[in-house]
Amino acid sequence: MTIPFPHPARPGHGLTVADAMDPCDYQIADDSTVDQANDIFLSAHVEYLVVRGHDGRCEGLVTQPGLHSFLTRSWYTDRTAISSMVHQQGPFTWPGMGLRLAAVAMRIKHLAVWPVVDEDGYLLGVLTAGRAAALLATPSA
């Protein structure tokens, strides 16, 4: 059964999150350790990792600065799962949400990156504040 998004965009009413979202190349399972996440950050030179649950659904987002308190105590890093640390969690945005509304929500929530999920909670991509601002600054938005 397909459930419509709460605020589907109508043609001619501006840009949606789907118009601005980017693919997300780096994800990590919620039972992965802080040490494993740090290895990905160091080798891939990324700013964030999307956290996915055991069922493959998006659980949140973690940043390297968010790992800092765990990395200062080396014995924590190989025992602490990402799921047990504080990280950005839902609600997430959906592709049919208006881009202006999403940009306002991101400003209010102080988000630089916001996961975009389908109606079942599976990751479709990410919306970055910079990309949303750039698209909204164009005259056609």
Side-chain angles (χ1 to χ4, degrees), residues 53-121:
H54 66 280
D55 58 0
R57 289 183 170 92
C58 182
E59 295 291 328
L61 190 126
V62 66
T63 62
Q64 192 170 23
L67 301 179
H68 181 71
S69 63
F70 292 93
L71 295 173
T72 59
R73 300 181 185 147
S74 63
W75 63 274
Y76 276 175
T77 63
D78 63 350
R79 294 184 179 94
T80 304
I82 295 296
S83 61
S84 64
M85 61 176 282
V86 175
H87 60 278
Q88 177 189 328
Q89 296 176 326
F92 307 116
T93 188
W94 56 92
M97 181 181 212
L99 187 56
R100 288 188 193 284
L101 179 59
V104 169
M106 290 179 77
R107 259 193 317 276
I108 290 170
K109 296 170 78 169
H110 305 286
L111 300 176
V113 180
W114 202 7
V116 181
V117 298
D118 66 13
E119 63 268 8
D120 294 320

